Amino acid sequence: MSRIGKKPIPVPSGVTAQIQGQTVSVKGPKGELSRTVHAEMQISMEQGQIVVARPTEETRHKALHGLTRTLIANMVEGVDKGYQKVLEIQGVGYKAEATKAGLNVIVGYSHPVLYKTPAGITFAVENNTVVKISGPNKELVGQVAAELRQIRPPEPYKGKGIRYQGERVRRKAGKTGAK
């Protein structure tokens, strides 16, 4: 039995959830999210909680059961509290600036890189080197953080680049250069 899948998802006060067929819509103070789940999963509202059930004990259904429950739980938590990822920019002259169109990142290229803000995502820049990405959709926040990090990943010799907060970059020794 899936331990994750069988747990009901509590819907906190201030959050409303609607189930129409296989589509789950969740609305809360941080925004509104909607997702269509797999056709074989059964979703219902019982006593202010969302319950996910599976039709059989097949391995495929067990996997879908836990996945579906986790996706819906992430939606509920996202519209209630929201999600946030923090990136650090390290390097001389490296910085980021929030603009109306998105995020302007200056990381050693001959030109600044403009990253357009997707719908539902907000950027906050502190000290020109710390970028906070926040939004209600956990998948989208993580995807945006990964795409920003990919602009200039941290390099192993000097550690310059864009990294997640708390990420440890494994450093390498450079050339010795002695005869």
Side-chain angles (χ1 to χ4, degrees), residues 10 21-23 39 53 80 85 91 102 111 119 128 137 146 163 165-166 168-169 176 178:
Q22 294 304 109
T23 303
D80 187 30
K85 289 263 188 187
H111 58 283
N128 290 335
N137 189 340
R163 64 180 75 184
Q165 189 174 42
R168 297 194 58 180
V169 176
T176 55

Side-chain angles (χ1 to χ4, degrees), residues 115-131:
Y115 186 86
K116 293 185 177 157
T117 308
I121 296 292
T122 56
F123 293 118
V125 180
E126 297 175 2
N127 300 336
N128 290 335
T129 58
V130 178
V131 179

Side-chain angles (χ1 to χ4, degrees), residues 39-152:
E40 295 177 12
M41 292 295 109
Q42 298 143 4
I43 305 154
S44 62
M45 282 286 283
E46 296 175 9
Q47 302 163 0
Q49 296 179 332
I50 301 172
V51 178
V52 180
R54 63 175 178 246
T56 67
E57 293 294 315
E58 284 183 37
T59 307
R60 185 171 64 90
H61 287 151
K62 288 180 181 179
L64 281 172
H65 190 205
L67 171 72
T68 304
R69 190 252 177 226
T70 302
L71 291 174
I72 295 171
N74 287 344
M75 288 170 48
V76 171
E77 186 178 339
V79 297
D80 187 30
K81 299 174 187 165
Y83 290 101
Q84 179 174 318
K85 289 263 188 187
V86 181
L87 297 175
E88 296 174 344
I89 301 174
Q90 291 188 354
V92 177
Y94 287 13
K95 63 182 180 176
E97 302 165 341
T99 63
K100 289 181 182 177
L103 194 68
N104 210 11
V105 184
I106 301 166
V107 284
Y109 295 121
S110 62
H111 58 283
V113 178
L114 178 66
Y115 186 86
K116 293 185 177 157
T117 308
I121 296 292
T122 56
F123 293 118
V125 180
E126 297 175 2
N127 300 336
N128 290 335
T129 58
V130 178
V131 179
K132 292 185 177 179
I133 305 157
S134 56
N137 189 340
K138 186 175 187 176
E139 294 173 55
L140 188 58
V141 169
Q143 182 66 36
V144 168
E147 288 172 359
L148 281 173
R149 183 182 182 276
Q150 205 58 39
I151 292 172
R152 176 74 82 169

